[in-house]
Amino acid sequence: MNNMVNVNSQNLQQVLGETSQQKLVLLSFFSAQSPECQSQAAILQTIAKDYGDYILVATLDCDLEQALAAQLAQQVGLQTLPTLVLLKDSAPVDVLAGAQAETQIREALSKHLPQPHEMLLEQAKQALIAQDLNQAFNFAKQAYELDNTNARIKLVLADICIQIHKLDDAQALLASVNENEQDAYFTNIQAKCAQALQAQESPELKALQAKVEKYPNDLELKVELSAAYDQAGKKEQALELLFTVLKKDLNFADAKVSYLAIIASLPDGDSLAAKYRRKLYSILY
């Protein structure tokens, strides 16, 4: 874990100075001889993992670094172990003396860190940059569930929905943005959504639809049309069409493989994926 460090005289200035300018530093006064310190160290490890981009847990082993511990203890008025000192911009902003429950530490952190929906939104943006659309969608959706009035969250989620072809959701999100919040980013997302919707009505797609209507028993044509639906983002139509093929012939060409691939392309926990898994199970078993 790269946001946990042991403090010594060599890195003290960097940790308490430079690093605290970038993120919140939790300076933990620790002694291996104290059971309370040991218990709190385990809690801090969990917290460090949960707030990886926002905090640094800096542990000062008072047994190994006695001179340094004595110097810092005098500065912060240390009276007991364990003690946590929260530092921001090179200055203490909070002191938690004595053993703290995890809830107490998290409550103290909440006063100095972005709100949960803001952290989730930032995680969504980072995942979007990394093209991890599944993670991006999950983070943005969680942020939206925490604050469904935030225009920035709506737009990031709409952007992701367009990329994973959930265009109905994207349209609903865009429609809910107040007129006075419709900035350049909104205009950009709105244009992307319009372009994606236009692609759903391409001449090629319409031609395939006409062929399937003309030859309703041609399973190969249906598989071809389902692939076109999938590419255009019409996931439900693609799955429904493939399901009609599988009901006729469970082993027809690569229909089952395509069906499962479309389900796998949907975000974790998507209701559409659950619906069509159940439908497939109904003819498998």
Side-chain angles (χ1 to χ4, degrees):
M1 201 178 300
N2 60 7
N3 65 327
M4 297 190 74
V5 65
N6 291 320
V7 177
N8 53 48
S9 55
Q10 285 73 44
N11 65 7
L12 177 69
Q13 189 59 44
Q14 179 183 358
V15 171
L16 303 191
E18 295 173 25
T19 304
S20 74
Q21 301 286 335
Q22 302 160 4
K23 56 178 66 177
L24 188 66
V25 173
L26 277 67
L27 176 61
S28 172
F29 287 85
F30 171 87
S31 171
Q33 301 176 52
S34 164
E36 290 84 1
C37 286
Q38 298 276 15
S39 298
Q40 188 158 287
I43 293 172
L44 292 176
Q45 189 169 13
T46 300
I47 288 175
K49 183 179 179 181
D50 291 346
Y51 296 92
D53 294 331
Y54 300 95
I55 70 170
L56 174 73
V57 174
T59 300
L60 177 58
D61 191 321
C62 298
D63 301 325
L64 297 178
E65 303 286 344
Q66 293 184 14
L68 183 59
Q71 175 190 339
L72 293 177
Q74 189 173 11
Q75 292 177 16
V76 301
L78 180 72
Q79 295 182 341
T80 185
L81 291 177
T83 287
L84 276 178
V85 180
L86 279 58
L87 298 109
K88 196 171 187 179
D89 296 327
S90 305
V93 292
D94 207 346
V95 177
L96 306 178
Q100 304 290 315
E102 184 173 341
T103 52
Q104 292 173 300
I105 298 174
R106 289 183 185 273
E107 184 180 349
L109 289 176
S110 69
K111 301 172 186 175
H112 308 287
L113 291 175
Q115 293 299 304
H117 68 271
E118 294 172 331
M119 289 192 280
L120 286 164
L121 179 60
E122 185 58 34
Q123 288 174 299
K125 289 178 181 178
Q126 293 305 314
L128 192 55
I129 291 169
Q131 282 300 297
D132 187 344
L133 297 178
N134 187 43
Q135 278 280 61
F137 176 78
N138 287 330
F139 285 136
K141 187 180 178 187
Q142 289 176 61
Y144 180 73
E145 287 167 353
L146 290 175
D147 185 357
N148 61 12
T149 64
N150 187 301
R152 189 58 43 176
I153 293 174
K154 291 179 184 180
L155 292 176
V156 170
L157 182 55
D159 191 359
I160 297 164
C161 284
I162 292 166
Q163 295 189 52
I164 61 175
H165 304 299
K166 293 174 73 70
L167 298 184
D168 288 345
D169 289 350
Q171 285 181 288
L173 287 162
L174 287 168
S176 71
V177 176
N178 295 328
E179 189 173 347
N180 63 340
E181 296 175 312
Q182 294 177 8
D183 56 9
Y185 184 39
F186 171 88
T187 304
N188 176 261
I189 302 304
Q190 190 179 50
K192 285 169 71 173
C193 189
Q195 187 178 15
L197 287 166
Q198 189 176 6
Q200 288 191 337
E201 303 302 329
S202 68
E204 295 80 9
L205 190 61
K206 288 182 178 179
L208 270 175
Q209 288 172 326
K211 283 184 180 180
V212 169
E213 287 174 12
K214 187 174 182 180
Y215 305 105
N217 296 318
D218 190 325
L219 300 187
E220 189 173 341
L221 266 180
K222 287 187 174 182
V223 171
E224 188 179 349
L225 177 56
S226 74
Y229 276 148
D230 182 33
Q231 191 171 7
K234 295 188 171 186
K235 302 285 187 178
E236 185 162 14
Q237 291 94 321
L239 286 166
E240 188 59 37
L241 197 57
L242 283 173
F243 183 68
T244 65
V245 172
L246 293 172
K247 280 200 300 183
K248 290 280 187 182
D249 184 351
L250 191 57
N251 297 306
F252 182 79
D254 60 352
K256 192 194 301 181
V257 172
S258 299
Y259 187 96
L260 292 172
I262 294 171
I263 288 176
S265 73
L266 295 167
D268 291 342
D270 192 285
S271 59
L272 195 61
K275 174 183 175 180
Y276 280 92
R277 280 197 192 96
R278 286 195 299 270
K279 293 188 78 162
L280 180 59
Y281 293 157
S282 71
I283 57 175
L284 282 175
Y285 308 107

